[in-house]
Amino acid sequence: MVRELERSILEEAGYRVRTAADGRLALAALADTPADLVVTDVEMPNCDGLELTRAIRAQPALTGLPVVVVTSRSSDADRRLAMDAGADAYLVKGDLDRRTLLEVVGRLLGRAVQPAGGAGR
């Protein structure tokens, strides 16, 4: 499962990670405890990743929260939809690797990516 791979990559780099089964649960978790960044899939039950991104952007307290969309959808039209919804980055699952994910997350959080074996804090 891609979510578990993403979680593992980020935790190994020193990030604290919380997961949610869908967008509604993610919004509820953000209301309870703020996050520094959200990684979401487009295809989720109850509230998809684009709806989640729009909901984040609609909340003044969350409007500056970086959102990374990771999806199997690779078309330019899908990328535009995500960016129009307010995503800060768009990654295609088929192209996803450790370095790319850590570079994007690090850039959005203002942190440098360290070589393999180093913590990406």
Side-chain angles (χ1 to χ4, degrees):
M1 177 175 262
V2 173
R3 180 174 58 193
E4 288 304 310
L5 174 61
E6 295 163 353
R7 181 193 56 74
S8 175
I9 290 169
L10 293 170
E11 285 180 344
E12 286 175 10
Y15 293 101
R16 286 181 301 146
V17 177
R18 294 180 290 157
T19 61
D22 64 42
R24 285 188 188 151
L25 294 173
L27 279 174
L30 289 170
D32 284 344
T33 307
D36 295 326
L37 179 133
V38 170
V39 178
T40 184
D41 195 338
V42 171
E43 298 174 25
M44 294 188 299
N46 301 317
C47 172
D48 71 29
L50 299 182
E51 292 174 87
L52 172 61
T53 303
R54 287 185 200 101
I56 288 169
R57 294 294 173 245
Q59 296 184 32
L62 300 177
T63 194
L65 180 65
V67 176
V68 178
V69 171
V70 180
T71 180
S72 59
R73 298 177 181 183
S74 61
S75 77
D76 287 339
D78 286 316
R79 181 180 302 272
R80 275 192 303 279
L81 285 172
M83 302 312 276
D84 289 346
D88 295 285
Y90 189 92
L91 301 173
V92 177
K93 289 178 185 177
D95 300 331
L96 186 65
D97 62 21
R98 179 184 191 281
R99 178 109 185 135
T100 301
L101 180 61
L102 292 178
E103 283 177 352
V104 168
V105 168
R107 176 179 52 83
L108 291 172
L109 294 176
R111 299 174 181 173
V113 175
Q114 300 187 2
R121 293 181 192 234

